[in-house]
Amino acid sequence: MHGFLSGLLLVTAAGLLALILARQEKRRRSQYGPAGCSEFRTPLALDECFDRLADRRDSDVFAYECTRERDGSFTLRLTLHQPTQQPLDTLYTLRLDPGRETIVTLFFIRETFGSPEPVFPPEMLDEFLLQKLDARRTR
C-alpha cells in the first residue's frame, strides 16, 4: 500500500512539474525580444515579401531556408557558417500579416544545440530583415 501511494505521489509530482515547465516555456515564447516574439513592419506587399524570401543571394547576412509547413505557417532556419566551428542554426516560426504595411512576426523556436536563447544578436536579425524585406523592428 505504501509503495502504491509513493508511486502515485511521484507521478503526480512529475505531472505537476511538466505542467509548470510547459507554462513557463509558453510565457517565455510570448514575450517580445530575441528569445520570444519579434515584430517588424515593411511597406512591401505580401507577394513581394514571398518573392524576396525566395530570392537567395551570396550577400545575405545568413544562409537561410523558408519552408511552408502543413498548417500554413512558415519555418525560417537561419544559418551562419563559421570557418573553424560548427554552423550555427536558429529556427523561427515566420508569420506575415498583410495590411497597409505587412507585419512580419518571428517566434523563436530553438537553436540547433538546444539553447533556449538565440545565439545571434538581435542586430543581425534586424540587418537581415532590413536587407531582405526592408522591414524595421517595431517590438
Side-chain angles (χ1 to χ4, degrees):
M1 184 66 175
H2 291 290
F4 175 74
L5 196 55
S6 296
L8 184 62
L9 286 174
L10 184 63
V11 169
T12 303
L16 186 60
L17 182 63
L19 179 67
I20 290 170
L21 291 175
R23 282 187 178 178
Q24 204 173 34
E25 179 70 10
K26 184 178 178 183
R27 189 177 330 115
R28 182 186 67 81
R29 285 192 182 179
S30 67
Q31 294 175 348
Y32 283 95
C37 169
S38 298
E39 184 180 283
F40 299 82
R41 291 183 183 261
T42 179
L44 302 176
L46 191 61
D47 291 339
E48 195 170 352
C49 289
F50 289 129
D51 292 344
R52 286 193 177 192
L53 284 170
D55 183 28
R56 292 176 185 82
R57 298 185 178 159
D58 291 336
S59 62
D60 290 339
V61 175
F62 297 105
Y64 67 95
E65 295 175 17
C66 187
T67 55
R68 187 176 200 121
E69 300 300 323
R70 289 184 179 175
D71 64 356
S73 67
F74 293 88
T75 300
L76 180 64
R77 176 187 304 264
L78 302 175
T79 305
L80 184 63
H81 294 280
Q82 297 182 330
T84 59
Q85 299 174 357
Q86 293 273 12
L88 300 173
D89 281 346
T90 302
L91 290 177
Y92 288 94
T93 298
L94 172 71
R95 190 175 77 202
L96 297 169
D97 296 314
R100 198 174 70 219
E101 290 183 312
T102 301
I103 300 171
V104 180
T105 310
L106 293 175
F107 297 96
F108 175 74
I109 299 173
R110 67 174 167 79
E111 287 294 327
T112 299
F113 300 111
S115 171
E117 302 290 325
V119 294
F120 300 128
E123 296 80 27
M124 287 181 80
L125 186 61
D126 293 350
E127 181 184 348
F128 173 74
L129 287 171
L130 183 63
Q131 178 188 36
K132 286 308 279 185
L133 302 176
D134 194 27
R136 290 178 173 61
R137 184 182 294 269
T138 55
R139 291 193 222 181

